[in-house]
Amino acid sequence: MEPPPKTFAVINNQRKHAIDNGKLRHFLRSLIPELGIGRREFSVVFITDEKIRQFNRDYRGFDKPTDVLSFRGDGEYLGDILISSETAYNQSRKSSTLSFESNLHRLVLHGLLHLMGYDHETDNGEMRAIERRLRRRFQC
């Protein structure tokens, strides 16, 4: 049997926090059918607070680090999700319910919903409702 086509890339451009690629890829393979992404490609890139701060400043006008940024692609390319592993780690340390791994899954889900065109700032709660349902399902 032929393996399914590769629809995503996971790129780790930071060395501050270990990322479990196997678990993340398993999560993505489970999440993709739930979102109806099909064969559209996307990337998840882990970067430092310093790098995400630059992107946040240059593209959103906020000169501070953030946890996740999404950049929509065009055509069959869904886009790119940038995640600060430092911010994600710090969030998980402050949370009584999120581990670092589950927080990464939460941020990937959030980023993918943005790549699909959802926007929690303008869609009257539609994205939040979908995200809540999937977070419960995937325990993130």
Side-chain angles (χ1 to χ4, degrees), residues 113-114 117-130:
L113 289 172
H114 276 302
Y118 293 100
D119 187 348
H120 51 83
E121 295 179 10
T122 62
D123 69 9
N124 296 317
E126 185 180 7
M127 178 177 168
R128 286 193 207 296
I130 295 167

Side-chain angles (χ1 to χ4, degrees), residues 2-120:
E2 194 173 312
K6 185 173 180 182
T7 58
F8 59 86
V10 176
I11 302 163
N12 188 358
N13 283 343
Q14 60 80 46
R15 297 292 171 252
K16 295 193 180 221
H17 300 284
I19 308 292
D20 188 328
N21 254 340
K23 287 183 180 177
L24 183 64
R25 289 176 184 283
H26 177 76
F27 171 70
L28 285 166
R29 283 190 297 272
S30 299
L31 182 61
I32 288 169
E34 289 289 322
L35 293 176
I37 291 172
R39 294 177 181 239
R40 295 184 69 193
E41 295 180 350
F42 63 92
S43 69
V44 178
V45 184
F46 295 99
I47 58 178
T48 62
D49 269 357
E50 179 184 341
K51 278 293 188 196
I52 209 158
R53 178 182 181 179
Q54 291 172 4
F55 282 104
N56 205 21
R57 181 187 62 233
D58 294 349
Y59 291 96
R60 296 184 66 229
F62 298 112
D63 192 13
K64 61 182 182 177
T66 189
D67 50 5
V68 60
L69 292 172
S70 299
F71 295 93
R72 290 184 72 188
D74 56 9
E76 287 301 304
Y77 188 69
L78 200 55
D80 302 308
I81 301 166
L82 306 181
I83 296 175
S84 168
S85 62
E86 289 175 81
T87 297
Y89 179 81
N90 291 333
Q91 287 171 336
S92 67
R93 291 202 21 113
K94 293 175 186 173
S95 172
S96 62
T97 57
L98 285 174
S99 67
F100 178 54
E101 180 181 300
S102 64
N103 196 32
L104 293 180
H105 294 178
R106 178 186 71 85
L107 295 172
V108 167
L109 168 60
H110 187 86
L112 274 171
L113 289 172
H114 276 302
L115 293 184
M116 294 175 67
Y118 293 100
D119 187 348
H120 51 83

